[in-house]
Amino acid sequence: MTTVIPVESSLAPCVKALMLRHLRVVPLATAFTLALAGTPAHAGGGLSWQSVLNQAERLATDAALPVAKEKQLGKKLAKEVEKENKLHKSKELQEYVAKVGKKVAAKAKDTPKGISYTFKVIDDDESVNAFALPGGHIYVYTGLLKLASDEAELAGVLGHEVAHVSQRHIAERLMAQVGLEGLIGMATGKNSEGLTALAANLAGQGALLSFGRDQESDADEHGLPYAVAAGYDPMGFVRLFEKLKKGEGPGFLVFLQSHPLPSERIDDAKAQIAKLKDKDGKRNEAAYQKMLEKL
Ligand SMILES: [Zn+2]
């Protein structure tokens, strides 16, 4: 029996305060520097204060958890995940999902240098979910594959997970959850209990971390264009989310806990799609349905 750590409550307030100190100093300093450079005022409305702060926060995360460390940690976590879960045995299915994922990830040009993506299928029909580990290891459960009807729906979810990595949400969330020292310990192998606890969290919840509302919409906002640029029908994301919203049972609950507010996100995605010039991406329904026969 694995121990499940409630993600939000696992963070002691004092640790949180400490982390905030770590995280705030650099962003504020950077924001101040950018402000002195006069960017928001002279950018013709192109650069808002929010985007300056976002950039600053990203710089802080980059400084605290450099890509090399994130990759090291991701590798260790992926090993744990694959020890705890059964990957689907069909090589053909694994290759198919990886091919769709790679096509989408190839459009994530804003991924930090050095990170490359892998996509694997976990054989578990009860879990309707997908998740990303640090360093670009992305997993999708067979429960989610069965819910989707075509490649565009799968691409929509994979785009979202890729965006959690490219926008460094995972690094940010991990920093907030286990703190800088905990993270470094895990990445260097000195904090093996922390690593096991994170992996157990995943086994219990079907998600490594629960992201904040801002990070979820940020991942949607960045992920959808990846899938569209890869040639997929943008409505795939909306169709899948409509199904997830209506879904019942524990498998869906897990998804909704780690991906909150489906209605709002569907509306946001629709608004984003309305602004797209090219809405005629492919769905590859026949190929997808054929792939489902492997499950
Ligand atoms: Zn998400």
Side-chain angles (χ1 to χ4, degrees):
M1 171 101 188
T2 45
T3 319
V4 179
I5 300 174
V7 178
E8 290 301 335
S9 60
S10 64
L11 189 65
C14 54
V15 180
K16 203 172 198 170
L18 195 71
M19 280 318 304
L20 284 176
R21 263 212 314 267
H22 266 301
L23 278 171
R24 292 263 159 81
V25 177
V26 185
L28 284 179
T30 321
F32 192 60
T33 314
L34 288 169
L36 284 179
T39 31
H42 301 293
L47 192 56
S48 65
W49 280 108
Q50 189 56 48
S51 74
V52 170
L53 282 171
N54 289 348
Q55 281 175 33
E57 191 138 1
R58 176 130 174 198
L59 285 173
T61 309
D62 289 347
L65 186 71
V67 168
K69 280 268 177 294
E70 185 180 329
K71 278 170 72 176
Q72 217 177 348
L73 178 64
K75 214 168 150 190
K76 284 181 195 295
L77 273 169
K79 221 181 211 176
E80 288 285 326
V81 164
E82 291 176 31
K83 213 163 66 188
E84 298 271 333
N85 295 275
K86 196 172 78 182
L87 295 184
H88 198 280
K89 59 182 186 312
S90 163
K91 200 174 158 231
E92 225 177 304
L93 172 78
Q94 294 287 356
E95 282 172 0
Y96 179 92
V97 171
K99 208 171 119 194
V100 176
K102 294 255 177 205
K103 251 194 268 180
V104 172
K107 301 299 173 188
K109 306 279 187 214
D110 44 359
T111 298
K113 220 170 154 226
I115 287 183
S116 56
Y117 295 91
T118 59
F119 299 86
K120 293 183 183 171
V121 178
I122 295 175
D123 194 357
D124 178 0
D125 288 354
E126 299 304 310
S127 298
V128 186
N129 211 354
F131 63 88
L133 294 183
H137 306 265
I138 291 169
Y139 295 86
V140 52
Y141 290 97
T142 49
L144 184 83
L145 290 183
K146 283 188 173 174
L147 183 75
S149 317
D150 59 46
E151 236 173 75
E153 294 181 23
L154 172 63
V157 166
L158 296 181
H160 174 90
E161 296 304 330
V162 165
H164 275 315
V165 178
S166 71
Q167 303 311 303
R168 304 218 74 198
H169 295 159
I170 299 178
E172 283 168 17
R173 202 71 196 92
L174 276 171
M175 284 275 291
Q177 195 173 321
V178 299
L180 184 59
E181 275 172 45
L183 262 187
I184 292 172
M186 280 184 207
T188 53
K190 284 179 195 142
N191 182 0
S192 57
E193 294 116 60
L195 201 68
T196 314
L198 262 186
N201 209 15
L202 186 81
Q205 300 192 128
L208 180 75
L209 304 155
S210 55
F211 294 108
R213 193 182 164 141
D214 287 357
Q215 289 175 323
E216 283 305 323
S217 35
D218 197 39
D220 290 346
E221 228 170 87
H222 285 85
L224 189 65
Y226 299 159
V228 174
Y232 289 108
D233 168 23
M235 285 303 285
F237 179 90
V238 172
R239 283 195 300 275
L240 189 70
F241 259 75
E242 299 273 13
K243 282 184 251 183
L244 284 161
K245 200 175 91 176
K246 284 189 214 122
E248 280 170 13
F252 285 93
L253 202 66
V254 163
F255 181 87
L256 293 174
Q257 272 166 354
S258 57
H259 295 87
L261 306 163
S263 300
E264 203 173 295
R265 294 172 61 189
I266 289 169
D267 291 345
D268 289 348
K270 281 183 180 164
Q272 200 181 349
I273 293 165
K275 287 185 215 145
L276 290 175
K277 277 193 205 105
D278 185 9
K279 301 184 182 67
D280 305 318
K282 56 185 183 290
R283 291 176 69 171
N284 289 354
E285 203 171 355
Y288 190 83
Q289 290 298 330
K290 199 162 164 256
M291 186 277 298
L292 282 190
E293 289 168 15
K294 307 265 169 227
L295 294 175

